[in-house]
Amino acid sequence: MAQMGFYVDTSKCTGCKTCQLSCKDKNTLPVGVNWRRVYEYAGGDWVQHEDGTFSNDVFAYYVSVSCNHCAQPACAKACPTGAMHKREEDGLVVVNDQVCVGCRYCEMACPYGAPQFNPEKKVMSKCDGCYERVAQGEQPVCVESCPLRALEFGPIDELRARYGSRADVAPLPDPKLTDPSLIIGTCRNTRLTGDTTGKIENPQEV
């Protein structure tokens, strides 16, 4: 089975959230539902030296995340109706809203917070990789709209050959949980999963 995935370059992302807004606009998502989210992870403080001078070790970077279309999707495993499922042709995880009963088990199971309840339709919703656009030779709208070209989409084996396989970047969970189809390009500020020196600075936006 082919498997499509995303590459996110934290050295390019400036946290502008164009990806988040373009996704929201394309899919007419209501307030509070964001299929793509941009985390601002930051930390550090002023440090006093023996000679009385100060320096700082502050850091910050952004990580844009949507559904990672995992090889072992916890959402699909938790779904009691089969509404949440993985497409054979491209490995994208999608939800059939005609079958979903809105129990939200998938939401509770996903460590990335990808499935989100649509309060207007009373069913779950999530990133579908813009598979209809991709079928017509286009890129997902988040990728196409990124002004810094920090996002890429394609066969995950090709992306891993080009960029490696790192996905254990804070504030994301341990990738061993679901084997996400995601690669994170690091920058000099990047901290790894489990880091306790920083925190999410924009919790109300994600």
Side-chain angles (χ1 to χ4, degrees), residues 164-176:
S165 57
R166 169 137 273 161
D168 57 340
V169 169
L172 304 183
D174 188 337
K176 293 177 183 174

Side-chain angles (χ1 to χ4, degrees), residues 5-161:
F6 287 101
Y7 169 68
V8 181
D9 189 342
T10 62
S11 71
K12 293 181 178 177
C13 182
T14 60
C16 72
K17 301 180 181 63
T18 303
C19 55
Q20 182 174 317
L21 293 176
S22 64
C23 171
K24 200 171 179 69
D25 183 50
K26 172 190 176 291
N27 296 293
T28 318
L29 302 181
V31 173
V33 177
N34 297 309
W35 290 357
R36 179 166 285 281
R37 304 163 305 286
V38 179
Y39 293 90
E40 179 182 359
Y41 190 74
D45 203 348
W46 286 98
V47 179
Q48 185 173 15
H49 302 287
E50 292 182 356
D51 63 1
T53 61
F54 289 82
S55 63
N56 72 68
D57 58 359
V58 297
F59 67 91
Y61 59 92
Y62 301 93
V63 183
S64 174
V65 179
S66 65
C67 173
N68 299 311
H69 304 286
C70 304
Q72 305 295 327
C75 58
K77 187 176 180 180
C79 179
T81 66
M84 191 71 72
H85 62 284
K86 197 168 177 64
R87 285 162 47 98
E88 280 293 326
E89 56 268 49
D90 50 24
L92 296 174
V93 179
V94 300
V95 58
N96 183 340
D97 61 8
Q98 300 301 307
V99 177
C100 179
V101 295
C103 68
R104 306 179 75 160
Y105 287 168
C106 56
E107 180 184 26
M108 291 182 269
C110 176
Y112 293 96
Q116 298 188 10
F117 184 69
N118 186 320
E120 296 177 356
K121 297 181 178 179
K122 308 296 184 191
V123 294
M124 300 308 298
S125 66
K126 65 183 287 302
C127 161
D128 60 9
C130 287
Y131 66 86
E132 292 178 343
R133 286 174 56 91
V134 173
Q136 297 180 21
E138 298 179 282
Q139 288 287 298
V141 70
C142 58
V143 173
E144 194 165 279
S145 67
C146 177
L148 278 302
R149 299 295 180 256
L151 292 174
E152 289 186 35
F153 178 83
I156 195 65
D157 55 347
E158 293 181 13
L159 292 175
R160 284 177 175 146

